[in-house]
Amino acid sequence: MLFPDYRARRLRQNENFRRMIRETRLSVDDLILPLFSVGGKGVRNPIPSMPEHYQLSVDKIVKEALIARDLGIPAVIIFGIPNKKDALATSAYAKNGIVQKTVRALKDKVKDLVVITDVCLCEYTDHGHCGVVQDGIINNDATLDLLARTALSHAQAGVDMVAPSDMMDGRVAEIRDALDENGFESVPIMSYAAKYCSAFYYPFRQAAESAPKFGDRRTYQMDPANSLEAIREVTMDVEEGADIIMIKPALAYLDIICRVREEIDLPIAAYNVSGEFAMIKAADKLGWLDGSKVMMESLTAIKRAGADMILTYFAKEVAKELRQD
Ligand code: PBG
């Protein structure tokens, strides 16, 4: 294949050739739109570090979900901002909690849209950690039951899929059992399997009001320096019954997506997180790069690395961009 026999540029000379040899194609089918649900009516609170994203009350979420559905986006993932936080995150598994209400409204009013819920405690605990705190330590096993109750309450509200993001050990099995014992064996689990302790979550924590009040998440989320450990985390979740495994964040972790793709035959989701979104938006606003082009390139790269689906705050913009093509 040596030059001049092989000339890579032969098949790049026009768009039709380029289309014919394109290996990766971003599709609206790949997109999952995250939404933030808050109490009240007619509420649309802007999130400073996430342009065009808002804390939305249930009525507004329904509207937003209809827009997403009409753009062809197959799924949304719901995060809740409760009125009340406490040590045991009781609002996370309350029958009339914010997520439960949102799910009921969405399943009632928006047809043909997969509704996923994030299952975690950090938005609901007064200390902001993803688990039960005892003597300043996040207690793994005491948290499992609360996570299972949360997932079950989402299923009872009619959710299509649950997505545990807490990173406690053993929670996928615990949630699977709770769902199965209560007749929800058809509700799949998308587990945040390799979730890193990342500074890229900063805008999200403003949006979800979920920053930890003391310490950080390093005792449960993964060290960004590790990749073998990602394989162990993912393998564990697969064995516990996960249906889709997620890698998070996406862009700084493309090697992890690629590696997991080679080892695991389940569908892979990648979370293009809030900080990845904010960086591109900020640079675009400054006129330092073309945000829309960087968006398409970034998401294509996430797919090329091996992701089957992408949770992204760009979902609506990408869907519109793909329509124009
Ligand atoms: C909850 C959760 C977080 C994100 C998704 N679920 C924040 C965190 O772990 O602190 C981050 C998503 C994003 O940054 O877009 N545990």
Side-chain angles (χ1 to χ4, degrees), residues 34 36 50 79 118-123 130 165-166 192 195-196 200-205 210-212 217 221 248 271-275 313:
F36 298 99
M50 300 176 68
F79 297 92
D118 184 84
V119 173
C120 197
L121 305 186
C122 60
E123 294 102 324
C130 304
S165 69
D166 51 283
Y192 289 66
K195 176 174 175 179
Y196 287 87
F200 285 101
Y201 307 152
Y202 185 82
F204 174 96
R205 290 180 191 167
S210 65
R217 306 209 198 286
Q221 299 182 345
K248 176 185 174 192
Y271 202 139
N272 176 225
V273 300
S274 57
Y313 304 95

PDB file of all heavy atoms in Angstrom, residues 34 36 50 79 118-123 130 165-166 192 195-196 200-205 210-212 217 221 248 271-275 313, ligand 1:
ATOM      1  N   PRO A  34     -31.080  14.674  28.237  1.00  0.00           N
ATOM      2  CA  PRO A  34     -31.288  14.835  29.684  1.00  0.00           C
ATOM      3  C   PRO A  34     -32.182  16.041  29.983  1.00  0.00           C
ATOM      4  O   PRO A  34     -32.047  17.097  29.354  1.00  0.00           O
ATOM      5  CB  PRO A  34     -29.868  15.091  30.231  1.00  0.00           C
ATOM      6  CG  PRO A  34     -28.927  14.774  29.110  1.00  0.00           C
ATOM      7  CD  PRO A  34     -29.702  15.031  27.856  1.00  0.00           C
ATOM      8  N   PHE A  36     -34.131  18.289  33.392  1.00  0.00           N
ATOM      9  CA  PHE A  36     -34.136  18.538  34.830  1.00  0.00           C
ATOM     10  C   PHE A  36     -35.529  18.957  35.278  1.00  0.00           C
ATOM     11  O   PHE A  36     -36.053  19.972  34.810  1.00  0.00           O
ATOM     12  CB  PHE A  36     -33.130  19.643  35.173  1.00  0.00           C
ATOM     13  CG  PHE A  36     -31.719  19.272  34.826  1.00  0.00           C
ATOM     14  CD1 PHE A  36     -31.130  19.717  33.648  1.00  0.00           C
ATOM     15  CD2 PHE A  36     -30.981  18.458  35.679  1.00  0.00           C
ATOM     16  CE1 PHE A  36     -29.825  19.366  33.321  1.00  0.00           C
ATOM     17  CE2 PHE A  36     -29.672  18.110  35.361  1.00  0.00           C
ATOM     18  CZ  PHE A  36     -29.091  18.558  34.178  1.00  0.00           C
ATOM     19  N   MET A  50     -25.147  26.114  31.441  1.00  0.00           N
ATOM     20  CA  MET A  50     -25.660  25.213  30.399  1.00  0.00           C
ATOM     21  C   MET A  50     -26.691  25.942  29.539  1.00  0.00           C
ATOM     22  O   MET A  50     -27.898  25.775  29.731  1.00  0.00           O
ATOM     23  CB  MET A  50     -26.282  23.962  31.035  1.00  0.00           C
ATOM     24  CG  MET A  50     -25.282  23.174  31.865  1.00  0.00           C
ATOM     25  SD  MET A  50     -26.035  21.785  32.701  1.00  0.00           S
ATOM     26  CE  MET A  50     -26.422  20.748  31.297  1.00  0.00           C
ATOM     27  N   PHE A  79     -33.814  13.902  35.533  1.00  0.00           N
ATOM     28  CA  PHE A  79     -33.177  14.166  36.825  1.00  0.00           C
ATOM     29  C   PHE A  79     -34.132  15.029  37.631  1.00  0.00           C
ATOM     30  O   PHE A  79     -34.737  15.963  37.081  1.00  0.00           O
ATOM     31  CB  PHE A  79     -31.854  14.907  36.630  1.00  0.00           C
ATOM     32  CG  PHE A  79     -30.838  14.110  35.871  1.00  0.00           C
ATOM     33  CD1 PHE A  79     -30.743  14.216  34.488  1.00  0.00           C
ATOM     34  CD2 PHE A  79     -29.982  13.239  36.529  1.00  0.00           C
ATOM     35  CE1 PHE A  79     -29.814  13.464  33.776  1.00  0.00           C
ATOM     36  CE2 PHE A  79     -29.054  12.484  35.825  1.00  0.00           C
ATOM     37  CZ  PHE A  79     -28.960  12.600  34.441  1.00  0.00           C
ATOM     38  N   ASP A 118     -32.772   8.721  36.030  1.00  0.00           N
ATOM     39  CA  ASP A 118     -31.519   8.581  36.757  1.00  0.00           C
ATOM     40  C   ASP A 118     -31.884   8.137  38.171  1.00  0.00           C
ATOM     41  O   ASP A 118     -32.750   8.732  38.806  1.00  0.00           O
ATOM     42  CB  ASP A 118     -30.816   9.942  36.782  1.00  0.00           C
ATOM     43  CG  ASP A 118     -29.451   9.875  37.447  1.00  0.00           C
ATOM     44  OD1 ASP A 118     -28.484   9.512  36.760  1.00  0.00           O
ATOM     45  OD2 ASP A 118     -29.362  10.207  38.644  1.00  0.00           O
ATOM     46  N   VAL A 119     -31.237   7.068  38.625  1.00  0.00           N
ATOM     47  CA  VAL A 119     -31.489   6.587  39.985  1.00  0.00           C
ATOM     48  C   VAL A 119     -30.260   6.901  40.826  1.00  0.00           C
ATOM     49  O   VAL A 119     -29.201   6.314  40.624  1.00  0.00           O
ATOM     50  CB  VAL A 119     -31.773   5.069  39.994  1.00  0.00           C
ATOM     51  CG1 VAL A 119     -31.871   4.549  41.423  1.00  0.00           C
ATOM     52  CG2 VAL A 119     -33.048   4.762  39.213  1.00  0.00           C
ATOM     53  N   CYS A 120     -30.401   7.878  41.704  1.00  0.00           N
ATOM     54  CA  CYS A 120     -29.293   8.258  42.576  1.00  0.00           C
ATOM     55  C   CYS A 120     -29.868   9.004  43.769  1.00  0.00           C
ATOM     56  O   CYS A 120     -31.028   9.394  43.761  1.00  0.00           O
ATOM     57  CB  CYS A 120     -28.297   9.144  41.832  1.00  0.00           C
ATOM     58  SG  CYS A 120     -26.705   9.223  42.687  1.00  0.00           S
ATOM     59  N   LEU A 121     -29.054   9.196  44.790  1.00  0.00           N
ATOM     60  CA  LEU A 121     -29.556   9.886  45.980  1.00  0.00           C
ATOM     61  C   LEU A 121     -29.020  11.306  46.121  1.00  0.00           C
ATOM     62  O   LEU A 121     -29.526  12.083  46.928  1.00  0.00           O
ATOM     63  CB  LEU A 121     -29.213   9.079  47.247  1.00  0.00           C
ATOM     64  CG  LEU A 121     -29.684   7.619  47.301  1.00  0.00           C
ATOM     65  CD1 LEU A 121     -29.386   7.032  48.674  1.00  0.00           C
ATOM     66  CD2 LEU A 121     -31.173   7.485  46.981  1.00  0.00           C
ATOM     67  N   CYS A 122     -27.997  11.678  45.338  1.00  0.00           N
ATOM     68  CA  CYS A 122     -27.296  12.943  45.630  1.00  0.00           C
ATOM     69  C   CYS A 122     -28.176  14.186  45.532  1.00  0.00           C
ATOM     70  O   CYS A 122     -27.966  15.149  46.257  1.00  0.00           O
ATOM     71  CB  CYS A 122     -26.045  13.086  44.772  1.00  0.00           C
ATOM     72  SG  CYS A 122     -26.349  13.078  43.004  1.00  0.00           S
ATOM     73  N   GLU A 123     -29.171  14.165  44.664  1.00  0.00           N
ATOM     74  CA  GLU A 123     -30.059  15.329  44.584  1.00  0.00           C
ATOM     75  C   GLU A 123     -31.002  15.397  45.792  1.00  0.00           C
ATOM     76  O   GLU A 123     -31.645  16.422  46.009  1.00  0.00           O
ATOM     77  CB  GLU A 123     -30.914  15.288  43.299  1.00  0.00           C
ATOM     78  CG  GLU A 123     -30.139  15.432  42.001  1.00  0.00           C
ATOM     79  CD  GLU A 123     -29.940  14.102  41.288  1.00  0.00           C
ATOM     80  OE1 GLU A 123     -29.754  13.069  41.975  1.00  0.00           O
ATOM     81  OE2 GLU A 123     -29.968  14.088  40.054  1.00  0.00           O
ATOM     82  N   CYS A 130     -24.056  10.487  47.200  1.00  0.00           N
ATOM     83  CA  CYS A 130     -24.911   9.557  46.459  1.00  0.00           C
ATOM     84  C   CYS A 130     -25.348   8.369  47.318  1.00  0.00           C
ATOM     85  O   CYS A 130     -26.007   7.455  46.826  1.00  0.00           O
ATOM     86  CB  CYS A 130     -24.187   9.061  45.214  1.00  0.00           C
ATOM     87  SG  CYS A 130     -23.634  10.411  44.154  1.00  0.00           S
ATOM     88  N   SER A 165     -26.857   5.752  38.897  1.00  0.00           N
ATOM     89  CA  SER A 165     -25.629   6.513  38.656  1.00  0.00           C
ATOM     90  C   SER A 165     -24.799   6.708  39.925  1.00  0.00           C
ATOM     91  O   SER A 165     -23.868   7.496  39.937  1.00  0.00           O
ATOM     92  CB  SER A 165     -25.973   7.884  38.069  1.00  0.00           C
ATOM     93  OG  SER A 165     -26.612   8.694  39.031  1.00  0.00           O
ATOM     94  N   ASP A 166     -25.159   5.974  40.967  1.00  0.00           N
ATOM     95  CA  ASP A 166     -24.565   6.206  42.295  1.00  0.00           C
ATOM     96  C   ASP A 166     -23.166   5.624  42.480  1.00  0.00           C
ATOM     97  O   ASP A 166     -22.415   6.100  43.320  1.00  0.00           O
ATOM     98  CB  ASP A 166     -25.473   5.537  43.312  1.00  0.00           C
ATOM     99  CG  ASP A 166     -25.713   4.096  42.869  1.00  0.00           C
ATOM    100  OD1 ASP A 166     -26.528   3.888  41.944  1.00  0.00           O
ATOM    101  OD2 ASP A 166     -25.029   3.190  43.364  1.00  0.00           O
ATOM    102  N   TYR A 192     -24.783   3.124  34.959  1.00  0.00           N
ATOM    103  CA  TYR A 192     -23.587   3.945  34.832  1.00  0.00           C
ATOM    104  C   TYR A 192     -22.469   3.029  35.343  1.00  0.00           C
ATOM    105  O   TYR A 192     -22.206   2.980  36.549  1.00  0.00           O
ATOM    106  CB  TYR A 192     -23.674   5.176  35.716  1.00  0.00           C
ATOM    107  CG  TYR A 192     -24.645   6.270  35.326  1.00  0.00           C
ATOM    108  CD1 TYR A 192     -26.023   6.073  35.344  1.00  0.00           C
ATOM    109  CD2 TYR A 192     -24.174   7.551  35.013  1.00  0.00           C
ATOM    110  CE1 TYR A 192     -26.900   7.114  35.040  1.00  0.00           C
ATOM    111  CE2 TYR A 192     -25.050   8.596  34.711  1.00  0.00           C
ATOM    112  CZ  TYR A 192     -26.407   8.364  34.732  1.00  0.00           C
ATOM    113  OH  TYR A 192     -27.264   9.405  34.443  1.00  0.00           O
ATOM    114  N   LYS A 195     -18.188   5.035  35.785  1.00  0.00           N
ATOM    115  CA  LYS A 195     -18.431   6.463  36.000  1.00  0.00           C
ATOM    116  C   LYS A 195     -17.258   7.024  36.799  1.00  0.00           C
ATOM    117  O   LYS A 195     -16.984   6.579  37.912  1.00  0.00           O
ATOM    118  CB  LYS A 195     -19.742   6.666  36.750  1.00  0.00           C
ATOM    119  CG  LYS A 195     -20.008   8.130  37.099  1.00  0.00           C
ATOM    120  CD  LYS A 195     -21.379   8.321  37.717  1.00  0.00           C
ATOM    121  CE  LYS A 195     -21.584   9.751  38.176  1.00  0.00           C
ATOM    122  NZ  LYS A 195     -22.903   9.979  38.747  1.00  0.00           N
ATOM    123  N   TYR A 196     -16.586   7.964  36.168  1.00  0.00           N
ATOM    124  CA  TYR A 196     -15.373   8.514  36.770  1.00  0.00           C
ATOM    125  C   TYR A 196     -15.674   9.698  37.671  1.00  0.00           C
ATOM    126  O   TYR A 196     -16.664  10.412  37.467  1.00  0.00           O
ATOM    127  CB  TYR A 196     -14.396   8.927  35.656  1.00  0.00           C
ATOM    128  CG  TYR A 196     -13.775   7.720  35.008  1.00  0.00           C
ATOM    129  CD1 TYR A 196     -14.388   7.064  33.954  1.00  0.00           C
ATOM    130  CD2 TYR A 196     -12.568   7.205  35.491  1.00  0.00           C
ATOM    131  CE1 TYR A 196     -13.833   5.941  33.376  1.00  0.00           C
ATOM    132  CE2 TYR A 196     -11.994   6.077  34.923  1.00  0.00           C
ATOM    133  CZ  TYR A 196     -12.626   5.448  33.858  1.00  0.00           C
ATOM    134  OH  TYR A 196     -12.073   4.328  33.295  1.00  0.00           O
ATOM    135  N   PHE A 200     -15.691  17.355  35.150  1.00  0.00           N
ATOM    136  CA  PHE A 200     -16.607  17.727  34.062  1.00  0.00           C
ATOM    137  C   PHE A 200     -18.080  17.739  34.488  1.00  0.00           C
ATOM    138  O   PHE A 200     -18.939  18.078  33.695  1.00  0.00           O
ATOM    139  CB  PHE A 200     -16.435  16.778  32.873  1.00  0.00           C
ATOM    140  CG  PHE A 200     -15.187  17.018  32.063  1.00  0.00           C
ATOM    141  CD1 PHE A 200     -14.070  16.218  32.232  1.00  0.00           C
ATOM    142  CD2 PHE A 200     -15.132  18.031  31.118  1.00  0.00           C
ATOM    143  CE1 PHE A 200     -12.912  16.423  31.482  1.00  0.00           C
ATOM    144  CE2 PHE A 200     -13.992  18.248  30.364  1.00  0.00           C
ATOM    145  CZ  PHE A 200     -12.876  17.444  30.543  1.00  0.00           C
ATOM    146  N   TYR A 201     -18.384  17.325  35.727  1.00  0.00           N
ATOM    147  CA  TYR A 201     -19.787  17.334  36.162  1.00  0.00           C
ATOM    148  C   TYR A 201     -20.214  18.662  36.777  1.00  0.00           C
ATOM    149  O   TYR A 201     -21.343  18.803  37.222  1.00  0.00           O
ATOM    150  CB  TYR A 201     -20.056  16.228  37.209  1.00  0.00           C
ATOM    151  CG  TYR A 201     -19.640  14.838  36.813  1.00  0.00           C
ATOM    152  CD1 TYR A 201     -19.287  13.892  37.777  1.00  0.00           C
ATOM    153  CD2 TYR A 201     -19.607  14.438  35.476  1.00  0.00           C
ATOM    154  CE1 TYR A 201     -18.904  12.606  37.433  1.00  0.00           C
ATOM    155  CE2 TYR A 201     -19.222  13.155  35.130  1.00  0.00           C
ATOM    156  CZ  TYR A 201     -18.863  12.248  36.107  1.00  0.00           C
ATOM    157  OH  TYR A 201     -18.478  10.973  35.770  1.00  0.00           O
ATOM    158  N   TYR A 202     -19.315  19.602  36.812  1.00  0.00           N
ATOM    159  CA  TYR A 202     -19.566  20.843  37.544  1.00  0.00           C
ATOM    160  C   TYR A 202     -20.878  21.558  37.150  1.00  0.00           C
ATOM    161  O   TYR A 202     -21.700  21.881  38.019  1.00  0.00           O
ATOM    162  CB  TYR A 202     -18.355  21.770  37.386  1.00  0.00           C
ATOM    163  CG  TYR A 202     -18.450  23.030  38.186  1.00  0.00           C
ATOM    164  CD1 TYR A 202     -18.110  23.061  39.541  1.00  0.00           C
ATOM    165  CD2 TYR A 202     -18.903  24.218  37.596  1.00  0.00           C
ATOM    166  CE1 TYR A 202     -18.203  24.226  40.274  1.00  0.00           C
ATOM    167  CE2 TYR A 202     -19.003  25.384  38.327  1.00  0.00           C
ATOM    168  CZ  TYR A 202     -18.655  25.388  39.664  1.00  0.00           C
ATOM    169  OH  TYR A 202     -18.762  26.535  40.389  1.00  0.00           O
ATOM    170  N   PRO A 203     -21.128  21.795  35.860  1.00  0.00           N
ATOM    171  CA  PRO A 203     -22.384  22.479  35.511  1.00  0.00           C
ATOM    172  C   PRO A 203     -23.618  21.681  35.927  1.00  0.00           C
ATOM    173  O   PRO A 203     -24.606  22.245  36.389  1.00  0.00           O
ATOM    174  CB  PRO A 203     -22.307  22.626  33.987  1.00  0.00           C
ATOM    175  CG  PRO A 203     -20.855  22.505  33.653  1.00  0.00           C
ATOM    176  CD  PRO A 203     -20.286  21.554  34.665  1.00  0.00           C
ATOM    177  N   PHE A 204     -23.533  20.374  35.797  1.00  0.00           N
ATOM    178  CA  PHE A 204     -24.659  19.520  36.197  1.00  0.00           C
ATOM    179  C   PHE A 204     -25.005  19.730  37.667  1.00  0.00           C
ATOM    180  O   PHE A 204     -26.167  19.765  38.053  1.00  0.00           O
ATOM    181  CB  PHE A 204     -24.317  18.047  35.961  1.00  0.00           C
ATOM    182  CG  PHE A 204     -25.354  17.079  36.485  1.00  0.00           C
ATOM    183  CD1 PHE A 204     -26.335  16.575  35.652  1.00  0.00           C
ATOM    184  CD2 PHE A 204     -25.355  16.681  37.824  1.00  0.00           C
ATOM    185  CE1 PHE A 204     -27.293  15.692  36.133  1.00  0.00           C
ATOM    186  CE2 PHE A 204     -26.310  15.806  38.318  1.00  0.00           C
ATOM    187  CZ  PHE A 204     -27.279  15.310  37.466  1.00  0.00           C
ATOM    188  N   ARG A 205     -23.978  19.849  38.485  1.00  0.00           N
ATOM    189  CA  ARG A 205     -24.251  19.974  39.922  1.00  0.00           C
ATOM    190  C   ARG A 205     -24.897  21.304  40.253  1.00  0.00           C
ATOM    191  O   ARG A 205     -25.634  21.419  41.226  1.00  0.00           O
ATOM    192  CB  ARG A 205     -22.960  19.742  40.721  1.00  0.00           C
ATOM    193  CG  ARG A 205     -22.546  18.277  40.639  1.00  0.00           C
ATOM    194  CD  ARG A 205     -21.283  17.973  41.413  1.00  0.00           C
ATOM    195  NE  ARG A 205     -20.822  16.628  41.071  1.00  0.00           N
ATOM    196  CZ  ARG A 205     -19.627  16.149  41.373  1.00  0.00           C
ATOM    197  NH1 ARG A 205     -18.772  16.909  42.033  1.00  0.00           N
ATOM    198  NH2 ARG A 205     -19.300  14.924  41.020  1.00  0.00           N
ATOM    199  N   SER A 210     -26.769  19.433  43.350  1.00  0.00           N
ATOM    200  CA  SER A 210     -26.386  18.154  43.953  1.00  0.00           C
ATOM    201  C   SER A 210     -24.912  18.062  44.341  1.00  0.00           C
ATOM    202  O   SER A 210     -24.400  16.963  44.524  1.00  0.00           O
ATOM    203  CB  SER A 210     -26.720  17.025  42.974  1.00  0.00           C
ATOM    204  OG  SER A 210     -25.922  17.155  41.809  1.00  0.00           O
ATOM    205  N   ALA A 211     -24.241  19.195  44.475  1.00  0.00           N
ATOM    206  CA  ALA A 211     -22.824  19.133  44.862  1.00  0.00           C
ATOM    207  C   ALA A 211     -22.699  18.626  46.297  1.00  0.00           C
ATOM    208  O   ALA A 211     -23.504  18.994  47.153  1.00  0.00           O
ATOM    209  CB  ALA A 211     -22.183  20.504  44.722  1.00  0.00           C
ATOM    210  N   PRO A 212     -21.711  17.764  46.582  1.00  0.00           N
ATOM    211  CA  PRO A 212     -21.551  17.294  47.963  1.00  0.00           C
ATOM    212  C   PRO A 212     -21.182  18.443  48.903  1.00  0.00           C
ATOM    213  O   PRO A 212     -20.404  19.315  48.529  1.00  0.00           O
ATOM    214  CB  PRO A 212     -20.414  16.266  47.866  1.00  0.00           C
ATOM    215  CG  PRO A 212     -19.772  16.458  46.551  1.00  0.00           C
ATOM    216  CD  PRO A 212     -20.732  17.189  45.660  1.00  0.00           C
ATOM    217  N   ARG A 217     -16.442  12.799  45.718  1.00  0.00           N
ATOM    218  CA  ARG A 217     -17.013  11.490  45.418  1.00  0.00           C
ATOM    219  C   ARG A 217     -15.940  10.428  45.127  1.00  0.00           C
ATOM    220  O   ARG A 217     -16.217   9.415  44.491  1.00  0.00           O
ATOM    221  CB  ARG A 217     -17.966  11.601  44.221  1.00  0.00           C
ATOM    222  CG  ARG A 217     -19.070  12.647  44.357  1.00  0.00           C
ATOM    223  CD  ARG A 217     -20.294  12.245  43.557  1.00  0.00           C
ATOM    224  NE  ARG A 217     -21.214  13.339  43.277  1.00  0.00           N
ATOM    225  CZ  ARG A 217     -22.034  13.895  44.176  1.00  0.00           C
ATOM    226  NH1 ARG A 217     -22.016  13.468  45.430  1.00  0.00           N
ATOM    227  NH2 ARG A 217     -22.858  14.857  43.823  1.00  0.00           N
ATOM    228  N   GLN A 221     -16.847   7.056  43.060  1.00  0.00           N
ATOM    229  CA  GLN A 221     -16.653   7.168  41.608  1.00  0.00           C
ATOM    230  C   GLN A 221     -15.203   6.816  41.263  1.00  0.00           C
ATOM    231  O   GLN A 221     -14.314   6.903  42.111  1.00  0.00           O
ATOM    232  CB  GLN A 221     -16.999   8.585  41.151  1.00  0.00           C
ATOM    233  CG  GLN A 221     -18.463   8.933  41.442  1.00  0.00           C
ATOM    234  CD  GLN A 221     -18.865  10.312  40.962  1.00  0.00           C
ATOM    235  OE1 GLN A 221     -18.020  11.150  40.646  1.00  0.00           O
ATOM    236  NE2 GLN A 221     -20.161  10.556  40.922  1.00  0.00           N
ATOM    237  N   LYS A 248     -18.883   7.173  31.405  1.00  0.00           N
ATOM    238  CA  LYS A 248     -19.126   8.578  31.687  1.00  0.00           C
ATOM    239  C   LYS A 248     -17.937   9.189  32.413  1.00  0.00           C
ATOM    240  O   LYS A 248     -17.461   8.585  33.366  1.00  0.00           O
ATOM    241  CB  LYS A 248     -20.383   8.668  32.560  1.00  0.00           C
ATOM    242  CG  LYS A 248     -20.718  10.047  33.027  1.00  0.00           C
ATOM    243  CD  LYS A 248     -21.881   9.998  33.973  1.00  0.00           C
ATOM    244  CE  LYS A 248     -22.077  11.396  34.521  1.00  0.00           C
ATOM    245  NZ  LYS A 248     -22.967  11.431  35.630  1.00  0.00           N
ATOM    246  N   TYR A 271     -21.958   9.046  28.106  1.00  0.00           N
ATOM    247  CA  TYR A 271     -22.554  10.290  28.599  1.00  0.00           C
ATOM    248  C   TYR A 271     -21.630  11.455  28.278  1.00  0.00           C
ATOM    249  O   TYR A 271     -20.577  11.611  28.858  1.00  0.00           O
ATOM    250  CB  TYR A 271     -22.811  10.204  30.103  1.00  0.00           C
ATOM    251  CG  TYR A 271     -23.874  11.168  30.615  1.00  0.00           C
ATOM    252  CD1 TYR A 271     -24.801  10.755  31.570  1.00  0.00           C
ATOM    253  CD2 TYR A 271     -23.971  12.481  30.144  1.00  0.00           C
ATOM    254  CE1 TYR A 271     -25.790  11.624  32.050  1.00  0.00           C
ATOM    255  CE2 TYR A 271     -24.957  13.343  30.611  1.00  0.00           C
ATOM    256  CZ  TYR A 271     -25.856  12.917  31.564  1.00  0.00           C
ATOM    257  OH  TYR A 271     -26.824  13.783  32.035  1.00  0.00           O
ATOM    258  N   ASN A 272     -22.059  12.238  27.288  1.00  0.00           N
ATOM    259  CA  ASN A 272     -21.371  13.472  26.899  1.00  0.00           C
ATOM    260  C   ASN A 272     -21.810  14.527  27.940  1.00  0.00           C
ATOM    261  O   ASN A 272     -22.826  15.168  27.795  1.00  0.00           O
ATOM    262  CB  ASN A 272     -21.864  13.806  25.480  1.00  0.00           C
ATOM    263  CG  ASN A 272     -21.366  15.097  24.899  1.00  0.00           C
ATOM    264  OD1 ASN A 272     -22.134  15.858  24.317  1.00  0.00           O
ATOM    265  ND2 ASN A 272     -20.101  15.380  25.017  1.00  0.00           N
ATOM    266  N   VAL A 273     -21.028  14.662  28.999  1.00  0.00           N
ATOM    267  CA  VAL A 273     -21.538  15.313  30.216  1.00  0.00           C
ATOM    268  C   VAL A 273     -21.581  16.837  30.132  1.00  0.00           C
ATOM    269  O   VAL A 273     -21.083  17.451  29.174  1.00  0.00           O
ATOM    270  CB  VAL A 273     -20.744  14.877  31.468  1.00  0.00           C
ATOM    271  CG1 VAL A 273     -20.829  13.367  31.673  1.00  0.00           C
ATOM    272  CG2 VAL A 273     -19.300  15.342  31.395  1.00  0.00           C
ATOM    273  N   SER A 274     -22.117  17.410  31.190  1.00  0.00           N
ATOM    274  CA  SER A 274     -22.386  18.852  31.230  1.00  0.00           C
ATOM    275  C   SER A 274     -21.150  19.705  30.952  1.00  0.00           C
ATOM    276  O   SER A 274     -21.236  20.704  30.240  1.00  0.00           O
ATOM    277  CB  SER A 274     -22.989  19.216  32.583  1.00  0.00           C
ATOM    278  OG  SER A 274     -22.132  18.822  33.631  1.00  0.00           O
ATOM    279  N   GLY A 275     -20.006  19.315  31.513  1.00  0.00           N
ATOM    280  CA  GLY A 275     -18.793  20.116  31.310  1.00  0.00           C
ATOM    281  C   GLY A 275     -18.307  20.070  29.866  1.00  0.00           C
ATOM    282  O   GLY A 275     -17.748  21.048  29.355  1.00  0.00           O
ATOM    283  N   TYR A 313     -26.571  16.897  26.018  1.00  0.00           N
ATOM    284  CA  TYR A 313     -27.341  18.142  26.084  1.00  0.00           C
ATOM    285  C   TYR A 313     -27.449  18.776  24.702  1.00  0.00           C
ATOM    286  O   TYR A 313     -28.179  19.743  24.520  1.00  0.00           O
ATOM    287  CB  TYR A 313     -26.695  19.096  27.099  1.00  0.00           C
ATOM    288  CG  TYR A 313     -26.578  18.430  28.459  1.00  0.00           C
ATOM    289  CD1 TYR A 313     -25.402  17.790  28.853  1.00  0.00           C
ATOM    290  CD2 TYR A 313     -27.679  18.361  29.302  1.00  0.00           C
ATOM    291  CE1 TYR A 313     -25.315  17.130  30.069  1.00  0.00           C
ATOM    292  CE2 TYR A 313     -27.602  17.700  30.523  1.00  0.00           C
ATOM    293  CZ  TYR A 313     -26.416  17.084  30.901  1.00  0.00           C
ATOM    294  OH  TYR A 313     -26.342  16.414  32.086  1.00  0.00           O
TER     295      TYR A 313
HETATM  296  C1  PBG B   1     -25.776  11.878  39.824  1.00  0.00           C
HETATM  297  C2  PBG B   1     -25.281  12.250  38.472  1.00  0.00           C
HETATM  298  C3  PBG B   1     -24.278  13.163  38.095  1.00  0.00           C
HETATM  299  C4  PBG B   1     -24.308  13.242  36.710  1.00  0.00           C
HETATM  300  C5  PBG B   1     -25.280  12.352  36.284  1.00  0.00           C
HETATM  301  N1  PBG B   1     -25.855  11.737  37.376  1.00  0.00           N
HETATM  302  C6  PBG B   1     -23.413  14.040  38.909  1.00  0.00           C
HETATM  303  C7  PBG B   1     -22.437  13.500  39.835  1.00  0.00           C
HETATM  304  O1  PBG B   1     -22.101  12.330  39.852  1.00  0.00           O
HETATM  305  O2  PBG B   1     -22.023  14.332  40.665  1.00  0.00           O
HETATM  306  C8  PBG B   1     -23.462  14.145  35.864  1.00  0.00           C
HETATM  307  C9  PBG B   1     -23.999  14.475  34.507  1.00  0.00           C
HETATM  308  C10 PBG B   1     -23.357  15.610  33.814  1.00  0.00           C
HETATM  309  O3  PBG B   1     -22.358  16.195  34.254  1.00  0.00           O
HETATM  310  O4  PBG B   1     -23.880  15.971  32.757  1.00  0.00           O
HETATM  311  N2  PBG B   1     -24.953  11.076  40.570  1.00  0.00           N
END
